[in-house]
Amino acid sequence: MRIQTFLLSCALALVTLTAQAFDRPFPDTVKRGVMTPANYPAIIIDEKTRTLSAGARIWNQDNMIEMPSALRGSDFAVNYTESDTGDIDRIWILTADEAKKTLPLLPVKPAPVKPLPAPVSTTK
């Protein structure tokens, strides 16, 4: 019985360790900045006061939800996304390893080519 309990504990420990060793997926539209908490719903990113959207989510280095009022300190390296209205809707506080990585460049879409208008004849 003790051997079974020990083996089960070892298996659960291994599963837990592998679950914590993953890279967090960030959306393609993510931006990088330095965040300092301010009075809710304001937040300072790259020395500019921004507004958190209603229902904004902040994930800490352990990928757990953090309440804006519980943030202490300043100059957090973060990835963030903006809503259509320009408010900040998602923030990930980065670990030291994540902060060292550069963001992938977004592919630049060429502007659509508009056809030229047909020439107009001025002679009669």
Side-chain angles (χ1 to χ4, degrees):
M1 182 68 178
R2 289 184 184 204
I3 293 175
Q4 291 175 342
T5 305
F6 176 73
L7 291 176
L8 182 62
S9 299
C10 289
L12 290 175
L14 287 175
V15 170
T16 303
L17 290 176
T18 57
Q20 294 178 357
F22 69 94
D23 288 335
R24 291 193 281 181
F26 300 114
D28 294 335
T29 59
V30 75
K31 297 179 181 180
R32 173 100 19 112
V34 176
M35 178 191 76
T36 300
N39 291 331
Y40 181 80
I43 199 155
I44 300 168
I45 294 183
D46 294 333
E47 298 180 1
K48 295 179 185 173
T49 302
R50 307 287 303 270
T51 304
L52 291 172
S53 66
R57 292 169 289 184
I58 301 173
W59 288 274
N60 64 16
Q61 294 93 338
D62 298 323
N63 211 32
M64 296 177 69
I65 298 286
E66 211 43 73
M67 300 309 291
S69 60
L71 293 173
R72 299 287 181 253
S74 62
D75 298 335
F76 296 108
V78 296
N79 281 351
Y80 65 96
T81 58
E82 297 175 336
S83 65
D84 294 337
T85 60
D87 295 336
I88 307 296
D89 60 354
R90 293 179 289 180
I91 298 174
W92 293 267
I93 300 174
L94 302 177
T95 63
D97 292 336
E98 290 172 334
K100 290 177 188 173
K101 295 179 184 176
T102 59
L103 289 176
L105 297 175
L106 293 176
V108 177
K109 295 180 183 178
V113 177
K114 295 181 181 178
L116 295 173
V120 178
S121 174
T122 58
T123 60
K124 292 187 182 182

